[in-house]
Amino acid sequence: MSLLYKSTRNSEVKVTASQAILKGLADDGGLFVPETIPSLEVSLKDLANMSYAEVAYEVMKLFLTDFTEEELKNCINRAYDSKFDTDEIAPLVKADGAYYLELFHGATIAFKDMALSILPHLLTTSAKKNAVKNDIVILTATSGDTGKAALAGFADVEGTKIIVFYPKDGVSPIQEKQMVTQKGDNTYVVAIKGNFDDAQTGVKNIFGDKEFAKLMDESGFQFSSANSINIGRLVPQIVYYVYSYAKLLQNEEISEGEEINVVVPTGNFGNILAAFYAKNMGLPIKKLVCASNDNKVLYDFFTTGEYNRNREFILTSSPSMDILISSNLERLIYRICDADSAKNKELMTSLSKEGKYEITEAMKAQLADFYGNYATEAETAKVIKDIYESTGYVIDTHTAVAAVAYKKYLADTKDNAKTVIASTASPFKFTRSVMNAIDAKYDNMGDFELVDELSKLSNVTVPNAIEEIRTAKVLHDTVCEVNEMKDTVKKILGIN
């Protein structure tokens, strides 16, 4: 059966999966959502005996119905290969009373690799399916991880260019070094003098500029997105939640049909939305714990029903979550207002103009699947130290935010269901914050000294992604003001 996608701001707009992947964002500024969320077609018991690639096919074929079996399997097999440093792709590690789903074994040691390893293949396949002649320009804002993962995924992919904007002082030193040393004739990295929300808004504004789109087309280009607003990013993320359940079942940690909880450190809301979609496909998930850092706009939303970005933007030790506009939340809002695109558009217009919106009591009642909480900087550091000292397991700052939220959930609910925590980045990506949390004495060391010390401490080999950048040459040094982003894109593409 064919599954079509519609815009959250105009339900009349319907496109195929490949068209949604190509466009990234709907012309009206809305996000593409499937008309219905399909149900899993294979039993949980059967999934338990499958490899990651096999589970990926069983999940993704239900969403990407205009891809042939050969096309989809080709994309999957090219994505989930030896670039991951573990055979399992996404191992589960039992520690401190939970199961940590390690999503950081790809080329850039963050969870974004899970989707951005396959997105370039989905995109180029979609372009062929739709007879696209233009070069596709991937335009992306990053709070640290998406940028490098997208750059690595699209580097030297024929028929594409990729431009990444990141906040100059809003990413970790390792994250910045990973981006500015990226090779590839089609890769461009630009630092902006602003925060992630400025970068994301700037990119959205460029996407929404009809005149610019026309100019691009005349010059042989068209935009697409690698941000989690692209359905081609969201669908592959559903896979690892299904896979984690299958692994728990295979390892006899749970029985078939037993409900689990899932905890996700959340900024742009895409990762936890993927878990919500997995639940709606029939995966036995009891509660979705949405973990925020000090930028607790989502915690406040789940607590009060008001989404309000009019607040101080706080730079934290978990920078990939330093976000006040959670773009993917719009997909959930659309769903809980009963797919009323006019109502959703009204709320999003309010967010754009006034920086806030409030949902109705009826909509709030539909958020029962979620629990929100947050971690302060002190709590984040303490849980890294505590887990290391009690188990020897070292987690990064984002995963630590999730661990804190999970402990608060346990205290609030006494719910002892088995729990999967999405471990979204390697501690090697945030060495200074991680090592300082364990012991302040490490603060005197250089970035790469810390890397080696962490390797000794955790008994984990330094990931190749870090080794690569030790002596890598800086290849990107462009910096611009927020209001210069469009002109910077023009200059990169040679458009007057």
Side-chain angles (χ1 to χ4, degrees), residues 112-133:
K112 308 290 172 78
D113 288 325
M114 303 301 293
L116 283 164
S117 294
I118 193 167
L119 182 62
H121 305 298
L122 294 176
L123 198 61
T124 49
T125 304
S126 296
K128 284 186 191 126
K129 291 175 83 64
N130 290 277
V132 169
K133 299 286 187 283

Side-chain angles (χ1 to χ4, degrees), residues 31-96:
L31 276 60
F32 288 113
V33 289
E35 284 195 287
T36 57
I37 294 178
S39 298
L40 286 166
E41 290 179 351
V42 290
S43 71
L44 297 169
K45 197 182 280 183
D46 286 343
L47 286 166
N49 298 313
M50 292 184 188
S51 68
Y52 192 89
E54 288 167 336
V55 173
Y57 179 70
E58 290 301 331
V59 172
M60 292 174 68
K61 73 176 185 182
L62 304 174
F63 286 93
L64 310 181
T65 55
D66 63 330
F67 283 68
T68 65
E69 180 177 349
E70 185 187 5
E71 285 170 340
L72 187 52
K73 283 185 173 175
N74 181 47
C75 289
I76 289 167
N77 292 333
R78 288 170 74 184
Y80 304 115
D81 58 10
S82 60
K83 71 173 76 67
F84 286 83
D85 64 21
T86 54
D87 291 339
E88 276 195 272
I89 307 292
L92 271 174
V93 175
K94 192 174 183 179
D96 195 44

Side-chain angles (χ1 to χ4, degrees), residues 346-363:
E346 180 191 312
L347 293 172
M348 295 308 129
T349 301
S350 176
L351 179 64
S352 175
K353 289 185 175 169
E354 296 161 39
K356 60 182 180 179
Y357 61 80
E358 192 161 0
I359 61 172
T360 64
E361 287 301 316
M363 290 167 73

Side-chain angles (χ1 to χ4, degrees), residues 74-256:
N74 181 47
C75 289
I76 289 167
N77 292 333
R78 288 170 74 184
Y80 304 115
D81 58 10
S82 60
K83 71 173 76 67
F84 286 83
D85 64 21
T86 54
D87 291 339
E88 276 195 272
I89 307 292
L92 271 174
V93 175
K94 192 174 183 179
D96 195 44
Y99 300 87
Y100 286 83
L101 177 62
E102 293 188 343
L103 300 171
F104 53 75
H105 289 281
T108 74
I109 57 174
F111 84 100
K112 308 290 172 78
D113 288 325
M114 303 301 293
L116 283 164
S117 294
I118 193 167
L119 182 62
H121 305 298
L122 294 176
L123 198 61
T124 49
T125 304
S126 296
K128 284 186 191 126
K129 291 175 83 64
N130 290 277
V132 169
K133 299 286 187 283
N134 287 340
D135 273 9
I136 294 162
V137 179
I138 302 299
L139 191 64
T140 288
T142 185
S143 55
D145 287 337
T146 287
K148 173 60 184 178
L151 287 161
F154 282 94
D156 293 322
V157 171
E158 200 177 336
T160 69
K161 292 183 187 296
I162 175 163
I163 304 170
V164 170
F165 288 98
Y166 75 95
K168 180 71 186 111
D169 299 312
V171 299
S172 80
I174 296 283
Q175 285 177 312
E176 183 168 46
K177 188 95 190 273
Q178 280 188 303
M179 286 189 283
V180 299
T181 58
Q182 176 65 51
K183 294 174 182 171
D185 292 340
N186 63 338
T187 64
Y188 306 89
V189 180
V190 183
I192 65 150
K193 295 175 184 174
N195 61 38
F196 170 72
D197 286 333
D198 295 325
Q200 181 168 253
T201 301
V203 164
K204 278 188 169 179
N205 289 342
I206 293 170
F207 268 108
D209 189 328
K210 302 285 190 290
E211 286 299 309
F212 194 24
K214 193 175 161 208
L215 186 62
M216 289 273 292
D217 188 46
E218 288 164 1
S219 306
F221 300 112
Q222 68 188 63
F223 285 129
S224 189
S225 170
N227 275 83
S228 57
I229 54 173
N230 194 316
I231 202 73
R233 269 279 301 276
L234 188 61
V235 170
Q237 290 180 289
I238 300 167
V239 175
Y240 47 73
Y241 293 109
V242 178
Y243 179 77
S244 67
Y245 190 94
K247 285 295 116 183
L248 287 175
L249 196 53
Q250 184 188 46
N251 298 339
E252 298 182 347
E253 298 283 351
I254 56 172
S255 55
E256 189 174 7

Side-chain angles (χ1 to χ4, degrees), residues 12-30:
E12 300 304 306
V13 174
K14 290 181 184 175
V15 298
T16 62
S18 62
Q19 287 167 337
I21 289 167
L22 271 175
K23 290 179 80 66
L25 200 63
D27 291 337
D28 53 33

